[in-house]
Amino acid sequence: MRRRRTLTARGAGALVAALCCMIAANLVGARILLYIGLLLALLTVFSVIAVRAPRRSGVVTRQISTDLLTVSETSRVSVRFTLRALRVPRGLWYDVLPDAVSGDSGGEYPPETGQLSYPITGVRRGVWSLGPLMLRTVDPFGLAQREEAFGDTRSITVVPEILTLAPLAVRVGAAGGTAHTSSARLGQGSDNLSPRGYIPGDSMRRIHWRATAHRGHLMVRQEEEESSPDAVVVIDRSRSRWPVAGADADPEFEAAVSLCASSAVHLAAEGYSVDVLDSAGTLLGTLRGHEDDRDGLLVALAMVSPRGESRDLASLIGGTPPGPLVYITGRLDEEDAALLRPSGAAAPMLFSTDLLPGAAEAAGQHGWTVSPLGSDVAEAWEDAVSARIGVGDVPG
């Protein structure tokens, strides 16, 4: 528990006035000024003792209404503060907030409602600390104050803003084909369904007897199998793509992270299995329809920053090309754009916060749909989707 005891402006003025009165009393021989000076000095000393003497200790617990706070989202922090002291002071309390969140985290103590609470709004992504709780009390004359810190801090994670994006024109699978099930592809007869090897736990009713007799070991019908409904989102955070970071977060990089999170969540909602990578090949998260997957991705994206170098895109994707491929980068010139190959992705979309002359044309020659990325993330996505419709992706 930290303590800070200082005189208020009024207390400092009282001491200066006391000193002036004592000096004047000696100069002009006015005894009354000496008494006034002594009275002011004693009153100031008494005020300091009054705020210093009580022994106080307190227990602080915090509860936040949301586990993860999104940028621009408002949440509420409830603080339970139990103070043990010789007397319960009246004063002001406030919770120390980082610059990454905003809110009015203070009030009068003791509170009328018996509960300390305040709203906070996410400003900048990252992992930050709330607290400690500060209690400021002033003596009845307003000459001295005591400020104490109680309790430990509480971590809060601010994650990127998730925006609503326009739907893709058509749900695509691997190699440009529309994602569909094998039963629709191969017909309605059960003998035409694609067989696979028996795995312990498979139902005996699914055994494919004709294939079993032909191959000499148990085979089962693989009745429903998606034709690679996969999507890949890559955020290029290589240091050369982004300006030198200052005291505040780079707004261009923040827009890139927001698009990365928004596009991944959006594609997962459209039914894709989504892998999110950085340009060095680090897997930031996977979305397979589970809420924990989404939270894990957002926590990972809350802490990313420009660093390192990028790898060749083809080595990131691997052997099987995805359906949608979203590549998000910063500064992109014509030479670098010509080296970006979508490796057979069905719907490659390239977003850049700083497209240099000739970069869009060079990337477009490899099949990319190129869109500049500014502060309006949803608009950049909509422009890319509209451009894909214009080059041949027809809804339906």
Side-chain angles (χ1 to χ4, degrees):
M1 181 176 65
R2 299 196 305 270
R3 296 183 177 90
R4 185 168 58 192
R5 307 178 185 90
T6 59
L7 290 175
T8 64
R10 182 184 297 180
L15 279 183
V16 172
L19 181 61
C20 291
C21 286
M22 292 178 184
I23 294 175
N26 290 328
L27 292 177
V28 301
R31 189 177 295 271
I32 186 64
L33 292 178
L34 179 62
Y35 293 152
I36 293 174
L38 288 174
L39 178 62
L40 288 174
L42 289 174
L43 189 61
T44 303
V45 172
F46 171 79
S47 298
V48 171
I49 295 174
V51 297
R52 179 171 182 170
R55 296 292 180 179
R56 302 169 188 160
S57 61
V59 178
V60 180
T61 57
R62 294 178 184 82
Q63 185 174 1
I64 306 173
S65 60
T66 53
D67 294 331
L68 300 178
L69 181 64
T70 303
V71 171
S72 310
E73 178 189 16
T74 298
S75 182
R76 179 161 288 275
V77 180
S78 298
V79 184
R80 290 189 175 276
F81 177 39
T82 304
L83 179 64
R84 294 182 293 273
L86 296 179
R87 63 184 179 89
V88 177
R90 297 201 66 85
L92 299 176
W93 68 270
Y94 67 92
D95 223 359
V96 178
L97 298 182
D99 294 337
V101 299
S102 63
D104 184 9
S105 61
E108 293 187 0
Y109 187 87
E112 294 182 1
T113 61
Q115 177 99 5
L116 311 180
S117 66
Y118 58 91
I120 56 172
T121 302
V123 175
R124 190 167 74 249
R125 62 185 178 83
V127 180
W128 314 97
S129 295
L130 300 180
L133 183 75
M134 306 297 296
L135 181 61
R136 179 177 178 268
T137 55
V138 182
D139 75 286
F141 301 105
L143 301 179
Q145 66 180 5
R146 178 183 185 180
E147 193 170 81
E148 297 171 272
F150 294 90
D152 297 325
T153 60
R154 162 73 186 271
S155 294
I156 183 171
T157 302
V158 183
V159 300
E161 185 176 10
I162 304 295
L163 301 170
T164 302
L165 303 180
L168 292 177
V170 61
R171 187 161 181 261
V172 291
T178 302
H180 50 282
T181 62
S182 59
S183 59
R185 181 175 68 250
L186 298 175
Q188 300 299 320
S190 61
D191 289 339
N192 290 328
L193 297 176
S194 175
R196 62 167 172 80
Y198 175 83
I199 299 175
D202 285 337
S203 172
M204 297 298 291
R205 291 178 296 179
R206 295 181 58 195
I207 292 179
H208 196 300
W209 295 110
R210 181 176 298 179
T212 297
H214 179 70
R215 301 194 184 185
H217 55 85
L218 286 177
M219 304 291 292
V220 296
R221 297 181 182 90
Q222 188 166 277
E223 296 177 354
E224 296 288 336
E225 182 177 310
E226 294 284 344
S227 58
S228 300
D230 298 327
V232 175
V233 178
V234 180
I235 179 169
D236 184 355
R237 55 172 177 156
S238 53
R239 201 66 195 86
S240 59
R241 303 292 188 205
W242 306 98
V244 178
D248 298 326
D250 174 26
E252 294 183 352
F253 188 73
E254 295 306 306
V257 175
S258 180
L259 176 58
C260 179
S262 300
S263 59
V265 171
H266 174 73
L267 291 171
E270 290 200 341
Y272 294 98
S273 296
V274 184
D275 291 334
V276 182
L277 312 167
D278 68 7
S279 52
T282 303
L283 182 64
L284 300 176
T286 58
L287 298 181
R288 300 293 187 265
H290 303 291
E291 187 68 23
D292 290 344
D293 292 345
R294 179 181 182 274
D295 290 348
L297 170 64
L298 294 180
V299 170
L301 289 177
M303 297 180 284
V304 299
S305 60
R307 70 175 188 185
E309 299 297 330
S310 60
R311 284 171 46 190
D312 178 64
L313 181 57
S315 67
L316 298 182
I317 296 176
T320 304
L325 169 62
V326 179
Y327 193 90
I328 307 163
T329 188
R331 184 177 185 272
L332 188 66
D333 58 25
E334 183 177 2
E335 182 180 355
D336 290 332
L339 298 176
L340 282 177
R341 305 297 175 92
S343 301
M349 293 185 288
L350 173 63
F351 298 88
S352 170
T353 60
D354 186 12
L355 274 172
L356 297 184
E361 293 77 8
Q365 292 178 1
H366 297 306
W368 290 102
T369 299
V370 183
S371 177
L373 176 59
S375 58
D376 194 333
V377 171
E379 182 181 15
W381 176 270
E382 186 172 359
D383 290 344
V385 170
S386 299
R388 288 213 59 83
I389 296 175
V391 298
D393 284 353
V394 181

